[in-house]
Structures are given as C-alpha cells and as structure tokens.
Amino acid sequence: MFLSAKKLAFLGLLLACTVIIVILSGVLEFNSLFLLAGASYLVGIAIREGGIRIGTGFYIASLLLSLMLAPNKLYCITFIAMGLYLVISEYIYDKLAKIKRIGNRKRVYWIIKYVIFNLMYIPMLIFLPKLIYQGELNDRLWQALIPAGQVALFVYDRAYNYFQKHVWEKVRGKLNLL
C-alpha cells in the first residue's frame, strides 16, 4: 500500500506528537494516565488512516522512540500496553467484519477485547504491580484491582470510540486527508 506524501507527512507529525505526549506524561505526573491514553489514541488514528500494517509500524516506531527519549520508562510500559491493546483491537475488528457466520458481532468483539485486556493486565498486576499501584499490594487490594481494571477498560474503550467517532472525524474533515 502506497501512501501519499500528504498522509506520510501527517503520520510523521502524528508520531512526533505521540512521543511528545509520552514524554510529557513523565514530566506532568499529575495527569500521566490521561496523557498516555491520549498518546495511544494517536496510534489508533494512525491505524485508521494508514491501515493495520502502517498503524502497526507507527506503533512500533512510537514505542521505540518513546523508550529512547522518555525519562520515565515505567510510563513507556503503560503506553506500550495501551497501544498494543488498540492495535490488537483494531485488527480483531477488521477480521470480525470479514466473517459472515458470526451472529452477534458486537458481543463477540467485546468478549475478545476483554480477553485481550486480561491477558495483558493480570500478568502485569502479578509481575509488575508498581505500574498499577505504588504502595504495597495486599490481598484485598489485589482483589479490588481486578474489577477496577475491567471498569477502567470499559471507560478507556468508550472514550477511544468517542474520540474516533466525534473528535477525530471533525478534525479529519478539516485536514482533508482523503
């Protein structure tokens, strides 16, 4: 798939913005999770504009640049997980759209998204708990973090869909990227 010079330049600027937002998340620590979610939303824009292959390349470039340039590497791991979730989610959405035999596509899609999320979240909670909670994790807190992660996924995914549908579509129309 060939990209026009306009779209290639746009993706380059989007990559720079993504890395700057990841760096800012380490500097402005009071809203780091919000900034990391915003940076991962830009990965979603790259996927929607360039396709899954170009978007995956964009994601890999953004994570490599973030790891090299960002001062706080723990935030890079969070960005990597959020971006990977979006890449896999968009890939699954494309694949499900091509399958004719699935009855309730939306329900199947949500189940797969929750499985993907939990395959990333639970090992992160077990092996890297400092990414989620800075204090000491006891059994009660650990049990509370499992459903809290499910709620966080629902909010994150709804916000991503709103961002793509309402915010990005308006901006996209003004940029004339077609």
Side-chain angles (χ1 to χ4, degrees), residues 85 89 92 96 104-118 150-151 153-159 161:
Y85 168 77
S89 177
I92 296 297
L96 283 177
N104 194 343
R105 211 178 301 267
K106 194 172 188 177
R107 179 178 290 158
V108 171
Y109 183 51
W110 271 99
I111 290 170
I112 292 172
K113 287 197 306 187
Y114 271 98
V115 168
I116 291 166
F117 171 76
N118 284 308
Q150 310 310 307
V151 172
L153 171 68
F154 182 78
V155 171
Y156 173 78
D157 204 71
R158 288 292 204 188
N161 289 332

Side-chain angles (χ1 to χ4, degrees), residues 69-85:
L69 298 174
N72 195 335
K73 303 306 183 213
L74 286 178
Y75 290 157
C76 290
I77 295 171
T78 306
F79 167 69
I80 290 168
M82 289 175 152
L84 182 62
Y85 168 77

Side-chain angles (χ1 to χ4, degrees), residues 15-166:
L15 179 62
C17 290
T18 303
V19 174
I20 288 170
I21 292 171
V22 171
I23 292 170
L24 281 176
S25 72
V27 175
L28 306 172
E29 295 206 12
F30 57 89
N31 61 358
S32 59
L33 200 56
F34 175 79
L35 289 172
L36 291 171
S40 67
Y41 289 179
L42 297 182
V43 171
I45 289 173
I47 293 169
R48 299 254 174 123
E49 292 301 318
I52 196 71
R53 291 179 68 197
I54 299 295
T56 303
F58 179 92
Y59 166 69
I60 292 168
S62 66
L63 73 89
L64 289 174
L65 282 171
S66 296
L67 284 171
M68 284 189 278
L69 298 174
N72 195 335
K73 303 306 183 213
L74 286 178
Y75 290 157
C76 290
I77 295 171
T78 306
F79 167 69
I80 290 168
M82 289 175 152
L84 182 62
Y85 168 77
L86 286 181
V87 169
I88 294 171
S89 177
E90 292 287 340
Y91 177 77
I92 296 297
Y93 182 80
D94 286 346
K95 290 299 177 188
L96 283 177
K98 294 176 184 174
I99 299 173
K100 304 280 189 229
R101 298 181 305 261
I102 297 177
N104 194 343
R105 211 178 301 267
K106 194 172 188 177
R107 179 178 290 158
V108 171
Y109 183 51
W110 271 99
I111 290 170
I112 292 172
K113 287 197 306 187
Y114 271 98
V115 168
I116 291 166
F117 171 76
N118 284 308
L119 285 174
M120 292 187 316
Y121 179 65
I122 292 174
M124 198 180 303
L125 197 58
I126 293 169
F127 299 115
L128 300 168
K130 296 291 183 193
L131 286 175
I132 314 291
Y133 182 71
Q134 295 300 318
E136 191 66 34
L137 266 175
N138 58 26
D139 288 340
R140 291 182 72 193
L141 188 58
W142 201 87
Q143 290 172 356
L145 284 175
I146 298 290
Q150 310 310 307
V151 172
L153 171 68
F154 182 78
V155 171
Y156 173 78
D157 204 71
R158 288 292 204 188
Y160 172 69
N161 289 332
Y162 179 84
F163 176 80
Q164 286 289 347
K165 192 175 195 176
H166 298 287

